[in-house]
C-alpha cells in the first residue's frame, strides 16, 4: 500500500475487555514497530519485528500486551483485560532495511472506560 | 538503550521569529537523528533528519545541527509561520532502536 494503515482508528473498550489493534505496513517493509503515545507525551517504544521475528519486546508494559506478525506483513497488537492506564494512541511504523526514515500510521486511539 | 531528552517542553514565539528546540542523547553509537512534526490528532511526520557523519543540514526554513562530541542536536526554524504550530519530536536511532524525546509544543502567534 501507499502508507501504513492502522485499524480501528478509534476504539472504546470497557475495563477488562480484550482488544486487537491492526497494522498494515508499507508493502515490502521488513521492519515494523509499535509505539504507545500517551496524551502530551512522545511515542514510547513497545516492540519491534523484523519480518515475522519479534526481535525486541522490551517495551511491552505487562504480560497483558502481546504482538504478532505471523507472515511478516500485517501485525496485530493485542491487549488483554484492558485497564484505564492502557488508554493511549497506539502507533505503528515501518521502514525498509537500509532506509532510516520511519513512516507512521495514523494510530489507534484506545480509550478504556 | 538510548535515552533522548528534549527541551523546552513548550515554546511560544511571534510569527517571523526563530524557534530552537534542543535534544541530548545518551548512546554514542546512535547514528541517525530525525525530527518529526505532529499536528493534533495526526501521525508524526518526518520533517528533517541528520546522520552522524554530518554536522548540519538545512531545508528551506528548517535546519538541524549535530554535535557528536557533546551528544546533542538541535532543530532551528526560521521565519516561523502559524502553520508551524505543532508538537515536534526528536529521536535517536541505532541498530533498529529508535527512541523519541518527550516533545516540544511550539505555538507561533500571528
Amino acid at each position: 500500500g501507499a502508507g501504513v494503515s492502522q485499524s480501528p482508528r478509534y476504539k472504546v473498550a470497557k475495563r477488562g475487555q480484550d482488544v486487537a489493534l491492526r497494522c498494515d505496513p508499507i508493502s515490502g517493509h521488513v521492519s515494523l514497530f509499535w509505539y504507545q503515545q500517551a496524551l502530551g507525551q512522545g511515542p514510547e517504544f513497545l516492540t519491534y519485528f523484523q519480518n515475522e521475528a519479534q526481535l525486541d519486546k522490551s517495551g511491552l508494559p505487562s504480560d497483558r500486551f502481546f504482538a504478532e506478525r505471523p507472515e511478516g506483513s500485517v501485525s496485530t497488537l493485542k491487549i488483554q483485560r484492558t485497564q484505564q492506564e492502557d488508554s493511549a494512541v497506539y502507533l505503528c511504523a515501518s521502514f525498509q532495511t537500509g532506509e532510516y526514515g520511519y513512516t507512521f500510521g495514523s494510530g489507534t486511539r484506545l480509550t478504556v472506560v | 538503550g538510548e535515552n533522548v531528552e528534549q527541551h523546552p517542553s513548550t515554546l511560544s514565539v511571534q510569527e517571523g521569529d526563530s524557534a530552537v528546540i534542543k535534544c541530548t542523547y545518551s548512546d554514542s553509537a546512535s547514528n541517525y537523528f530525525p525530527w518529526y512534526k505532529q499536528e493534533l490528532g495526526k501521525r508524526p511526520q518526518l520533517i528533517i533528519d541528520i546522520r552522524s557523519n554530518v554536522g548540519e543540514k538545512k531545508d528551506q526554513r528548517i535546519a538541524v545541527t549535530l554535535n557528536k562530541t557533546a551528544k546533542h542536536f538541535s532543530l532551528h526554524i526560521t521565519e516561523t509561520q502559524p502553520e508551524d504550530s505543532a508538537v515536534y519530536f526528536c529521536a535517536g536511532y541505532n541498530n533498529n532502536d529508535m527512541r523519541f524525546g518527550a516533545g516540544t509544543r511550539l505555538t507561533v502567534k500571528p
Side-chain angles (χ1 to χ4, degrees):
Chain A
V4 178
S5 178
Q6 289 188 249
S7 61
R9 186 77 174 89
Y10 303 95
K11 176 69 180 178
V12 178
K14 291 185 178 179
R15 191 160 58 94
Q17 187 179 350
D18 297 351
V19 298
L21 313 180
R22 177 187 167 107
C23 173
D24 201 338
I26 293 173
S27 178
H29 275 199
V30 168
S31 299
L32 184 147
F33 294 77
W34 283 98
Y35 287 84
Q36 180 189 60
Q37 187 175 25
L39 190 63
Q41 300 295 318
E44 294 283 344
F45 171 81
L46 293 177
T47 187
Y48 159 62
F49 289 86
Q50 187 165 334
N51 294 306
E52 69 278 6
Q54 188 175 21
L55 299 186
D56 187 345
K57 55 181 181 179
S58 62
L60 296 177
S62 77
D63 58 8
R64 296 185 296 105
F65 286 71
F66 172 77
E68 61 182 5
R69 194 186 184 197
E71 296 179 0
S73 55
V74 171
S75 177
T76 304
L77 177 67
K78 297 179 179 178
I79 309 173
Q80 297 176 324
R81 304 181 303 281
T82 52
Q83 300 177 5
Q84 283 190 317
E85 59 262 32
D86 300 336
S87 296
V89 174
Y90 290 85
L91 291 166
C92 175
S94 74
F95 78 99
Q96 181 61 288
T97 301
E99 301 172 4
Y100 288 111
Y102 277 23
T103 300
F104 280 95
S106 295
T108 294
R109 181 177 295 279
L110 173 65
T111 303
V112 182
V113 297
Chain B
E2 176 65 276
N3 181 46
V4 177
E5 295 191 355
Q6 183 171 347
H7 302 278
S9 57
T10 60
L11 179 60
S12 182
V13 299
Q14 208 65 40
E15 183 178 1
D17 288 351
S18 295
V20 180
I21 302 171
K22 299 181 179 181
C23 289
T24 61
Y25 62 98
S26 62
D27 188 350
S28 57
S30 289
N31 55 16
Y32 173 69
F33 305 92
W35 286 87
Y36 287 84
K37 176 183 180 182
Q38 188 175 30
E39 297 177 6
L40 189 64
K42 296 188 178 179
R43 74 188 76 188
Q45 299 268 19
L46 179 69
I47 56 170
I48 195 167
D49 55 18
I50 191 166
R51 303 194 181 182
S52 59
N53 59 347
V54 176
E56 184 174 357
K57 183 176 178 180
K58 190 173 182 180
D59 182 4
Q60 299 182 335
R61 297 186 297 108
I62 296 173
V64 58
T65 58
L66 171 65
N67 183 326
K68 284 184 64 180
T69 303
K71 289 192 282 190
H72 65 71
F73 56 111
S74 301
L75 177 71
H76 305 252
I77 306 174
T78 58
E79 302 170 27
T80 54
Q81 301 168 2
E83 52 265 38
D84 294 331
S85 296
V87 178
Y88 292 81
F89 295 99
C90 63
Y93 172 89
N94 174 41
N95 195 28
N96 297 319
D97 188 7
M98 178 89 82
R99 302 299 168 118
F100 288 83
T104 297
R105 180 173 299 279
L106 174 64
T107 303
V108 180
K109 294 185 262 188

